[in-house]
Amino acid sequence: MKRIYLDHNATTSVEPAVVDAMLPYFSTEFGNASSIHSFGQRARAAVETAREQVAALLNARSQEIVFTSGGTESDNHAIFGVAQALLPAPSGVEGPVRPGTHIITTTIEHEAVLNACQALEKQGVAVTYLPVNREGLIHLDELRRAVRPETVLITVMHANNELGAIQPIAEIGRIAAEARVRFHTDAVQSAGKIPVDVKALELDLLSISGHKLYAPKGIGALFIKSGTRLRQLLYGGHHQRGFRPGTENVAGIVGLGKAAELAGFSLEKDAARISRLRDTLERGILDRVPDSSVNSANAPRTPNTANILFPGIEGEALVIALDLRGLACSTGAACSSGAVEPSHVLTAIGLPAAEARASIRFSLGRHTTESEIAAALELIPAAVSHLRKLSPTYQKSAVIR
Ligand SMILES: Cc1ncc(COP(=O)(O)O)c(C=O)c1O
């Protein structure tokens, strides 16, 4: 059975050219980038080249890029870093955050942002979670109204991992700049898929993750605009100018650099091709599966993401049924204490729990082919129809109609 992978928002394969670029750094070029001998110097040079490659993808300067262990660490560093750095205790000793400190975020962020904000709430920070509309977009007026004199950070994701919906980041950047509030975006799902320009978007901080753009897992980066005060997350040596101590993951960094370079070369071409395939998939499903609909259909979206509601089915059951037929996709549901919780993103756009549970994400990638989409269009309607036959709720609603 030829397997089809439509779950690129979960993770991507590592591009062969990225593997090739990394390999020497596991063997002959194994030096520690902090060593002064030639082994170390070659590792250092490779790290700095990668920093330039990542900076180029984001239109940043290389000294503004700090390598991290991935999107989660980058998000945590940005959020804790701003909340804690801007607020030295009166004694001058860096302490816990000042009570009343305020952060603005949204209800549809990744857990890396949401749970960091919730942890800060326990330290006395006030957090506003902006709601989103049916398309998954925030209202700029609500953001303007939410800004207070105590607001230190606005953190709003660029593209949502479940819906693909793209927030009006440039407008948010303008609002943040006017209010003199630091602005962070989680660009884990946008970098490499759509243009990301930290200057045009007026960003102070931006997170990316290697494994969403054809580099390995466990490597990421945080853009920190020059002059931004940020408390460090980790304590240790002087690596990365003290921003992120710890011996650099040279091979991972080289991989991220190469992946960023490749993404920059092929972004426009990939986006055009992938969005055509995504549209074919969506249209095909809507034509063949009665009552199906696309979540966030009217929002600007990343080219690769389709989130589809199939009333009457359990998303988990459809994911398993499709996996048995060779197609990998996902739900946004999370398993907590044995129960399947509907996705917080889908409930935030107003879907009732049953509809949130009946929604599935297909996310295409650079190597997705037309014939895979054609095959998916055979598999999906058959699997949905099979599950609906077993679903008392779907039959009931079908009768009522
Ligand atoms: C939007 C978003 N932010 C952050 C992360 C976390 O990134 P990482 O897996 O590199 O920690 C993910 C991963 O799914 C994501 O989709």
Side-chain angles (χ1 to χ4, degrees):
M1 174 169 65
K2 193 174 171 302
R3 296 195 305 154
I4 302 169
Y5 184 79
L6 295 183
D7 201 14
H8 290 82
N9 286 7
T11 199
T12 60
S13 60
V14 181
E15 198 66 46
V18 171
V19 176
D20 288 347
M22 291 173 67
L23 280 177
Y25 297 92
F26 292 112
S27 52
T28 51
E29 303 297 341
F30 60 86
N32 181 327
S34 299
S35 301
I36 56 173
H37 47 62
S38 61
F39 287 86
Q41 290 311 298
R42 284 198 299 277
R44 164 65 45 213
V47 167
E48 295 316 318
T49 300
R51 215 184 293 281
E52 281 163 21
Q53 290 166 320
V54 171
L57 182 68
L58 306 174
N59 193 26
R61 290 186 291 167
S62 61
Q63 63 269 34
E64 295 174 315
I65 302 299
V66 170
F67 293 109
T68 66
S69 65
T72 300
E73 181 186 327
S74 297
D75 286 343
N76 273 263
H77 194 171
I79 294 165
F80 284 98
V82 169
Q84 297 177 339
L86 294 175
L87 297 153
S91 63
V93 178
E94 281 184 7
V97 290
R98 185 183 294 166
T101 299
H102 179 232
I103 290 177
I104 299 172
T105 187
T106 79
T107 48
I108 61 162
E109 300 295 312
H110 188 269
E111 286 82 355
V113 168
L114 287 178
N115 290 341
C117 288
Q118 278 165 23
L120 279 171
E121 281 185 287
K122 295 201 178 98
Q123 296 181 26
V125 172
V127 181
T128 299
Y129 297 90
L130 294 174
V132 293
N133 64 15
R134 190 74 193 189
E135 302 299 331
L137 302 175
I138 66 161
H139 301 271
L140 293 171
D141 281 343
E142 277 181 279
L143 170 62
R144 280 191 201 93
R145 279 199 299 274
V147 177
R148 311 176 191 167
E150 311 81 43
T151 309
V152 295
L153 178 71
I154 295 171
T155 173
V156 174
M157 73 199 315
H158 194 185
N160 181 265
N161 41 310
E162 291 186 42
L163 300 167
I166 300 169
Q167 300 296 333
I169 292 294
E171 286 82 350
I172 299 170
R174 218 158 299 135
I175 293 170
E178 277 164 20
R180 297 176 166 275
V181 172
R182 295 280 181 229
F183 178 33
H184 166 249
T185 195
D186 175 336
V188 166
Q189 293 289 348
S190 59
K193 294 181 185 138
I194 55 172
V196 175
D197 180 328
V198 292
K199 291 205 183 81
L201 301 175
E202 301 197 51
L203 285 155
D204 298 298
L205 297 148
L206 171 143
S207 307
I208 65 167
S209 170
H211 73 104
K212 311 288 184 178
L213 60 129
Y214 306 91
K217 295 159 187 64
I219 185 72
L222 179 63
F223 156 77
I224 308 172
K225 187 178 162 186
S226 297
T228 306
R229 281 186 61 197
L230 203 69
R231 186 168 172 181
Q232 65 200 91
L233 203 60
L234 302 177
Y235 290 82
H238 295 289
H239 314 84
Q240 304 204 67
R241 297 183 294 124
F243 273 111
R244 208 287 188 169
T247 302
E248 287 95 336
N249 169 6
V250 178
I253 289 171
V254 166
L256 180 58
K258 186 69 188 175
E261 183 187 65
L262 294 175
F265 287 151
S266 65
L267 193 140
E268 266 179 47
K269 213 170 87 233
D270 282 348
R273 197 185 71 83
I274 293 170
S275 66
R276 257 198 320 275
L277 290 180
R278 191 267 315 267
D279 293 347
T280 304
L281 178 70
E282 281 185 359
R283 265 198 312 276
I285 291 174
L286 297 185
D287 284 350
R288 287 161 218 217
V289 182
D291 300 332
S292 56
S293 59
V294 176
N295 292 319
S296 264
N298 300 312
R301 278 187 290 154
T302 43
N304 76 319
T305 306
N307 192 303
I308 307 207
L309 165 59
F310 299 103
I313 59 117
E314 278 295 330
E316 300 285 290
L318 182 55
V319 168
I320 294 165
L322 288 172
D323 189 41
L324 291 173
R325 293 164 167 84
L327 173 64
C329 58
S330 69
T331 67
C335 218
S336 86
S337 1
V340 180
E341 293 290 327
S343 142
H344 71 280
V345 173
L346 299 181
T347 47
I349 65 169
L351 293 191
E355 291 192 357
R357 281 205 198 86
S359 296
I360 295 288
R361 177 186 73 188
F362 302 99
S363 48
L364 287 62
R366 193 180 285 161
H367 303 295
T368 304
T369 63
E370 253 174 63
S371 61
E372 286 178 328
I373 295 302
L377 283 174
E378 299 295 320
L379 296 173
I380 297 163
V384 173
S385 158
H386 174 70
L387 290 173
R388 278 179 171 172
K389 283 196 190 110
L390 308 173
S391 159
T393 52
Y394 185 69
Q395 282 158 9
K396 234 181 266 149
S397 65
V399 171
I400 290 163
R401 259 192 326 273

